[in-house]
Amino acid sequence: MTAETLNFIDGRFVPSSSGRLFENRSPVDHALISRVHEAGRPEVDAAVAAARAALAGPWGRLSVQERAAMLYAVADEINRRFDDFLQAEVADTGKPIALASHLDIPRGAANFKIFADTVKSASAEFFEMTTPDGRTALNYALRRPKGVVAVICPWNLPLLLMTWKVGPALACGNAVVVKPSEETPSTATLLGEVMNAVGVPSGVYNVVHGFGPNSAGEFLTRHPDVNAITFTGETATGTKILEAAAGGIKATSMELGGKNPSIVFADCDLDNALEVTSRAVFANCGQVCLGTERVYVERPLFETFVQRLGEIARAMKPGRPDDAGSGIGPLISLGHRDKVLSYYARAKEEGATIVAGGGIPQMPAGLAEGAWIEPTVWTGLPETSAVVREEIFGPCCHVTPFDSEDEVVALANDTQYGLAASVHTRDLQRAHRVAARLDVGLCWVNAWFLRDLRTPFGGAKMSGIGREGGLHSLEFYTELRNVCVKL
Ligand code: NAD
């Protein structure tokens, strides 16, 4: 019998009241994983009401220390059920087990611990002032939860990105309603079991399944009793959600798309630059918001770099998640593959030099129905090409030569996006100079995806609004109240 994935509302797993179910299929072989109960307005209303009620109940009266202790317990329970989360995440995404066990699941647990630590040690403002009549007044700020927070999630790192929001939201005393991606509903649902197991009060954590427009996503973001929306996904979707938020003057945090550059100077450590850049392009089959799709290489190194990056791409063997020899998994879905392939076709039509890949790999029987795609490297397109300008979200990059620092900074910044960049050089002064000139939220030097969760995370320009991470998350998930006491 096919498994069913239910909504999680007020501490209980509940079916769709409309009886509408949608299919969750494996990107590896298109096999049916589960049938998912779509939440309509009644379920979204019930989830928001449960969250609101939880704020007024025991959850709202816990001390910071008690909340933090509960979040440590959540992290421990995720780790205790590590294999269940791993299996669910790998089934939904098709990503290699080696990647999910190293990154997705450990970070899912760590996101609760780090924000429990952060909230315990956060201080608030304090100012002493002189009053007009010559006396003194003390001002201090109290951090209060925002209230009911809607958490709208993408499919590329489902547990990691969802807990990146839920961890700090709960640490700050909010209650959440999560809308996972329709492509990856499983780990958010499983987290409901964890919440119940460790005694998080009913209604604090809720999950509603469905799509965006005219479905759970839109019902939630337009809901009048939601106080804040935290969103990770495409810039176009972010625009729609901002419109929905405007109606209710809801606080928003937007982590959106990118078209991130890697800049490789001729004086770099070539082996390191290749290893880092190939990870930035191909990791998670190119489905990482921080990933690189534009590579700029200083001319003396250009031919060598392109040749070696092409060799790395050709050597990556796609395979099942449990195949230790597999270097790359499939894309998330056949629909997403169609989108990525449309850029592959466009690159060809526009006369790109295809250094590696460019199509669909030959897969053995049993996997042929999956969303497999070849890691791809192009050169020779103008910077005006859609392939170089638009986010593809696949395992591909275009490599362009450059001659000067000023030229490459201008090329890197010539985009509507501003999420992340990597700079490869042994010249320390140049590294600092270029990092300061790039219009991005995150810039790595001789590295990529190295994350300290206390640091600010977010995008510039059309890659987002706001910063999360460490104390920055507390800024979003709390309302600061100033208390002024005349002495
Ligand atoms: P998406 O925007 O298509 O969907 C994200 C979520 O929004 C899904 O849960 C979807 O159902 C929901 N949604 C869609 N329309 C909606 C609407 N009108 N109202 C409410 N909810 C709606 O994104 P995706 O394809 O799942 O993820 C890939 C995108 O996410 C890429 O653009 C990637 O760059 C971006 N991303 C950004 C970051 C970051 O931190 N900046 C991280 C990961 C992914």
Side-chain angles (χ1 to χ4, degrees):
M1 209 179 77
T2 309
E4 293 192 357
T5 305
L6 299 170
N7 300 288
F8 182 70
I9 299 171
D10 205 13
R12 290 189 306 278
F13 290 94
V14 298
S16 164
S17 60
S18 67
R20 281 224 295 263
L21 278 72
F22 61 93
E23 292 181 340
N24 176 21
R25 287 191 173 269
S26 163
V28 170
D29 55 9
H30 206 56
L32 189 60
I33 299 169
S34 73
R35 285 159 52 77
V36 186
H37 285 255
E38 184 176 352
R41 276 190 203 282
E43 289 81 17
V44 172
D45 286 348
V48 173
R52 177 65 56 202
L55 292 166
W59 177 248
R61 292 190 289 275
L62 292 185
S63 68
V64 167
Q65 284 73 15
E66 288 167 328
R67 273 203 315 267
M70 217 165 246
L71 297 193
Y72 290 134
V74 170
D76 290 345
E77 183 68 6
I78 293 174
N79 283 328
R80 197 185 67 76
R81 297 193 58 184
F82 194 94
D83 288 344
D84 296 338
F85 277 95
L86 186 61
Q87 208 182 2
E89 200 75 315
V90 167
D92 278 4
T93 60
K95 64 179 74 188
I97 285 179
L99 177 65
S101 59
H102 174 73
L103 175 69
D104 298 69
I105 314 305
R107 263 291 299 279
N111 282 337
F112 287 98
K113 284 211 158 113
I114 184 94
F115 288 107
D117 287 342
T118 305
V119 79
K120 275 201 311 186
S121 57
S123 61
E125 293 176 8
F126 167 83
F127 294 104
E128 194 177 75
M129 66 183 280
T130 305
T131 60
D133 59 359
R135 289 164 64 183
T136 302
L138 303 180
N139 289 278
Y140 61 90
L142 290 174
R143 281 194 186 281
R144 289 292 176 251
K146 277 248 159 67
V148 177
V149 179
V151 184
I152 313 280
C153 308
W155 43 256
N156 59 328
L157 299 160
L159 182 70
L160 186 160
L161 290 172
M162 185 259 291
T163 53
W164 173 243
K165 313 286 202 173
V166 171
L170 297 193
C172 293
N174 299 282
V176 298
V177 181
V178 175
K179 212 296 280 169
S181 168
E182 52 274 34
E183 305 282 2
T184 52
S186 301
T187 45
T189 312
L190 201 50
L191 192 58
E193 292 181 20
V194 167
M195 296 290 174
N196 281 351
V198 305
V200 172
S202 305
V204 170
Y205 173 82
N206 305 276
V207 180
V208 289
H209 292 297
F211 305 84
N214 203 27
S215 183
E218 188 177 355
F219 300 152
L220 184 58
T221 51
R222 290 196 182 273
H223 200 290
D225 209 24
V226 164
N227 302 101
I229 304 170
T230 179
F231 171 71
T232 308
E234 282 191 23
T235 296
T237 313
T239 308
K240 296 261 164 43
I241 292 179
L242 282 171
E243 284 167 15
I249 316 287
K250 300 182 201 309
T252 55
S253 172
M254 294 276 134
E255 292 183 352
L256 308 176
K259 187 74 180 177
N260 308 306
S262 279
I263 299 174
V264 182
F265 286 97
D267 69 350
C268 71
D269 172 341
L270 178 58
D271 288 342
N272 182 65
L274 277 161
E275 187 276 320
V276 170
T277 306
S278 58
R279 248 185 322 114
V281 176
F282 303 123
N284 207 36
C285 201
Q287 303 164 119
V288 181
C289 55
L290 304 169
T292 292
E293 290 188 357
R294 296 185 292 147
V295 184
Y296 297 99
V297 182
E298 203 169 1
R299 202 170 299 272
L301 197 59
F302 181 73
E303 294 297 335
T304 309
F305 192 92
V306 167
Q307 187 205 331
R308 288 189 55 187
L309 190 62
E311 283 164 12
I312 293 171
R314 281 188 294 274
M316 296 187 95
K317 295 290 168 247
R320 283 187 175 283
D322 59 355
D323 176 351
S326 148
I328 191 163
L331 289 169
I332 189 67
S333 66
L334 294 172
H336 185 54
R337 184 174 71 172
D338 287 345
K339 177 188 160 190
V340 176
L341 283 174
S342 75
Y343 285 98
Y344 282 26
R346 204 150 167 178
K348 207 169 168 184
E349 278 159 32
E350 292 179 11
T353 301
I354 302 169
V355 181
I360 296 174
Q362 280 284 337
M363 297 303 290
L367 298 186
E369 301 301 309
W372 303 96
I373 191 145
E374 286 179 335
T376 295
V377 177
W378 304 287
T379 62
L381 290 173
E383 291 292 300
T384 49
S385 166
V387 176
V388 185
R389 303 202 73 78
E390 296 172 13
E391 182 183 52
I392 301 172
F393 223 51
C396 54
C397 68
H398 181 264
V399 196
T400 304
F402 70 88
D403 294 299
S404 75
E405 190 178 307
D406 283 348
E407 180 196 3
V408 78
V409 167
L411 288 169
N413 283 340
D414 181 19
T415 168
Q416 62 174 345
Y417 293 111
L419 187 51
S422 287
V423 179
H424 296 273
T425 178
R426 284 192 167 101
D427 180 337
L428 198 57
Q429 284 174 317
R430 172 152 64 195
H432 287 293
R433 213 166 44 225
V434 173
R437 293 177 70 192
L438 294 173
D439 301 333
V440 291
L442 302 111
C443 183
W444 282 282
V445 176
N446 299 326
W448 176 75
F449 211 86
L450 203 51
R451 293 274 298 117
D452 180 324
L453 303 184
R454 295 168 298 185
T455 59
F457 180 93
K461 301 200 285 192
M462 289 184 78
S463 289
I465 300 176
R467 293 292 178 272
E468 296 197 29
L471 292 170
H472 307 281
S473 291
L474 304 198
E475 291 304 322
F476 179 70
Y477 292 105
T478 54
E479 213 57 90
L480 273 180
R481 177 184 307 158
N482 190 66
V483 179
C484 179
V485 184
K486 190 172 179 189
L487 300 179

